[in-house]
Amino acid sequence: MAQALSCSFCGRTKKDGAFIITGVKANICEQCVMQAHQIVMEEFKLHKPLPTKLNLMKPMEIKSYLDRYVVGQDEAKKVLAVAVYNHYKRISQAENKTATTKDEISIEKSNIIMVGRTGTGKTFLARTLAQMLQVPFAIADATVLTEAGYVGEDVESILSRLLQAADFNVKLAEKGIVYIDEIDKIARKSDNPSITRDVSGEGVQQGLLKLLEGSVVNVPPQGGRKHPEQKMIAINTENILFICGGAFDGIERMIANRMNTNPIGFNNDKNNLVDDTETLLQFVSSQDLKAFGLIPELIGRLPVLTSLEPLSKTTLKNILIQPKNALVKQYQRLFEMEGITLKFEDSALDYIVDKAMALNLGARGLRSICEAIMNDAMFELPSQKEVKFLDIDANYAAEKFEKSKMSKLKVA
């Protein structure tokens, strides 16, 4: 009786449902073929060649790219463009270094901190920047970070995300850029001593110092503390650019107190008083960040400070229609796929903007308001094949919005 064919790797036979590929002296089943393919692809991924030459985009080119997706915030975009460009040049200088001379100038990295109200585009700027970069880019959230030994994540988990973005190529990760969001949430809670430990505040700031300054950090490749047996990977953060962002809610009061302080004496000069509280953030300084609760050591490692302007009605309306992936264009594409032409009247756009300003949710509030207005149409029209055109005006927008739960929100 002929012996049944079996896989030379796992031993499965046709009786087990295996599809056997016969060779000269060995056989293999389809599952082992797929596993072997995965192993080969992982091996190529780990050893893929590094880019030999960085693509040095000029600051104006970087800002021009950001302009296609982000409306306004010219000052912040200029600061980001210059910082990223200098980061590229700094890496190029290190790679092209041939000999060490006494008069050689070493360029230091300029980590950035962005201050702006919620919904002004801090995280969106970072995400848009990630689309065009030739280096690994990772976004981390500071709110989940705690001191070592407490429930939460260690600061090293930030670099785990960067390592994953670089396909675990350490040399590539060491040229990356990291955006740390919600940096204001790790501010020191109080200057007064307390019986409870501030495990997600000052301790986390001190843990970030070694990352920002530039040192060799042992990083868990799988992140977190759930795999204590995993082998650590050493990453040098000297060439990693860190960009931090936060809303810093209430910092305007500290800026106002600093700028409105009158000198002692009879000859008080009140010309420097700031009346428009909406523009106070443009005067933010390191002194205000210290008063808010960031420790001086952390502020010193974030030398470039920029602010994002509060969004005006004009800016919000432009956000709806101008960018390459504007909200109105997204809804028009969704309805176009159903064979329906969608049009937003100016009156409807003005209504959406007014509601967004009243709710004080910034640009992210626009999406919520649009969803509330468009939900009924997106639910009903795909089933109504006879409808080929939809015109949204202020009356339609007001009727649908007032029916939604968002209309019950308290106006800020």
Side-chain angles (χ1 to χ4, degrees):
M1 184 176 178
Q3 187 177 2
L5 291 177
S6 63
C7 178
S8 304
F9 292 87
C10 66
R12 292 170 70 234
T13 64
K14 286 188 176 182
K15 289 183 179 180
D16 301 322
F19 177 76
I20 304 297
I21 302 171
T22 306
V24 178
K25 293 184 179 180
N27 308 315
I28 188 169
C29 68
E30 80 285 359
Q31 290 188 2
C32 291
V33 170
M34 289 188 289
Q35 290 179 3
H37 178 262
Q38 289 180 347
I39 293 170
V40 171
M41 293 305 295
E42 287 294 327
E43 188 68 18
F44 275 114
K45 187 184 291 184
L46 288 173
H47 296 93
K48 68 179 181 180
L50 295 173
T52 55
K53 188 176 181 181
L54 289 170
N55 180 23
L56 283 174
M57 292 182 69
K58 301 294 188 290
M60 291 186 70
E61 296 172 359
I62 297 173
K63 183 181 179 297
S64 177
Y65 182 89
L66 294 175
D67 286 338
R68 292 162 55 190
Y69 296 91
V70 184
V71 176
Q73 310 300 358
D74 287 337
E75 188 62 33
K77 285 189 282 193
K78 287 180 182 177
V79 171
L80 281 174
V82 170
V84 170
Y85 181 63
N86 287 341
H87 178 65
Y88 277 91
K89 289 198 296 184
R90 183 173 182 269
I91 293 174
S92 298
Q93 183 207 32
E95 290 180 345
N96 298 331
K97 192 183 296 182
T98 55
T100 304
T101 57
K102 293 182 179 179
D103 58 346
E104 185 178 2
I105 298 174
S106 178
I107 302 174
E108 295 184 2
K109 64 176 176 179
S110 299
N111 296 321
I112 310 167
I113 183 166
M114 296 190 294
V115 180
R117 293 181 182 177
T118 179
T120 51
K122 299 182 297 295
T123 308
F124 187 62
L125 267 172
R127 290 190 185 278
T128 307
L129 201 61
Q131 297 174 4
M132 56 160 285
L133 293 178
Q134 301 295 320
V135 293
F137 188 98
I139 297 180
D141 195 340
T143 56
V144 298
L145 301 177
T146 57
E147 287 186 41
Y150 291 86
V151 175
E153 293 188 11
D154 295 328
V155 292
E156 289 80 11
S157 64
I158 293 174
L159 297 180
S160 298
R161 292 182 177 87
L162 184 65
L163 196 59
Q164 292 163 8
D167 290 332
F168 295 94
N169 192 316
V170 176
K171 290 185 178 179
L172 203 57
E174 289 178 346
K175 302 176 183 179
I177 297 177
V178 175
Y179 175 71
I180 305 177
D181 203 4
E182 308 292 356
I183 194 71
D184 56 313
K185 304 304 186 293
I186 60 170
R188 182 164 35 190
K189 303 298 183 289
S190 173
D191 289 331
N192 300 323
S194 172
I195 58 172
T196 58
R197 191 175 177 90
D198 188 12
V199 299
S200 61
E202 184 176 354
V204 176
Q205 293 187 50
Q206 292 170 351
L208 284 173
L209 296 180
K210 59 179 180 179
L211 266 68
L212 300 178
E213 180 67 21
S215 60
V216 178
V217 181
N218 289 323
V219 179
Q222 299 179 22
R225 304 164 184 159
K226 296 181 180 178
H227 307 279
E229 76 287 350
Q230 62 184 318
K231 185 179 179 181
M232 297 293 184
I233 298 177
I235 295 181
N236 189 348
T237 65
E238 185 179 355
N239 288 331
I240 298 176
L241 180 69
F242 289 89
I243 304 172
C244 302
F248 291 89
D249 188 31
I251 200 171
E252 290 96 338
R253 292 192 297 271
M254 299 168 186
I255 300 172
N257 290 336
R258 173 173 57 83
M259 299 196 68
N260 293 342
T261 301
N262 296 326
I264 299 175
F266 298 102
N267 189 21
N268 290 347
D269 181 12
K270 296 188 178 181
N271 292 329
N272 65 334
L273 301 187
V274 179
D275 296 324
D276 186 6
T277 56
E278 291 294 315
T279 61
L280 275 175
L281 273 181
Q282 65 179 308
F283 302 108
V284 67
S285 69
S286 300
Q287 183 181 347
D288 303 314
L289 297 180
K290 182 176 180 294
F292 189 86
L294 295 189
I295 60 176
E297 299 93 325
L298 185 69
I299 297 171
R301 286 163 173 81
L302 297 166
V304 180
L305 174 61
T306 185
S307 63
L308 278 78
E309 306 162 1
L311 301 178
S312 63
K313 287 187 177 183
T314 304
T315 305
L316 283 174
K317 189 173 181 179
N318 289 336
I319 289 172
L320 280 171
I321 57 178
Q322 279 189 3
K324 193 172 182 179
N325 58 340
L327 272 175
V328 168
K329 296 177 182 177
Q330 292 181 37
Y331 284 110
Q332 287 174 338
R333 176 59 59 85
L334 286 172
F335 278 87
E336 182 184 323
M337 294 168 71
E338 298 290 343
I340 300 172
T341 302
L342 176 65
K343 181 182 178 183
F344 279 86
E345 301 287 349
D346 276 346
S347 59
L349 297 176
D350 291 334
Y351 177 85
I352 295 170
V353 168
D354 289 340
K355 287 298 177 184
M357 292 292 290
L359 295 174
N360 198 24
L361 294 175
R364 62 168 54 93
L366 294 173
R367 180 62 185 265
S368 301
I369 295 168
C370 287
E371 285 290 325
I373 294 170
M374 301 299 299
N375 189 62
D376 285 349
M378 291 189 292
F379 177 75
E380 298 168 0
L381 296 187
S383 301
Q384 300 175 7
K385 300 300 182 183
E386 68 277 5
V387 178
K388 298 298 180 183
F389 185 80
L390 177 61
D391 191 3
I392 307 293
D393 58 11
N395 293 331
Y396 180 93
E399 178 190 350
K400 297 299 182 183
F401 183 79
E402 292 304 322
K403 287 182 180 178
S404 68
K405 294 180 180 179
M406 279 203 71
S407 63
K408 308 296 189 294
L409 291 178
K410 185 179 179 181
V411 176

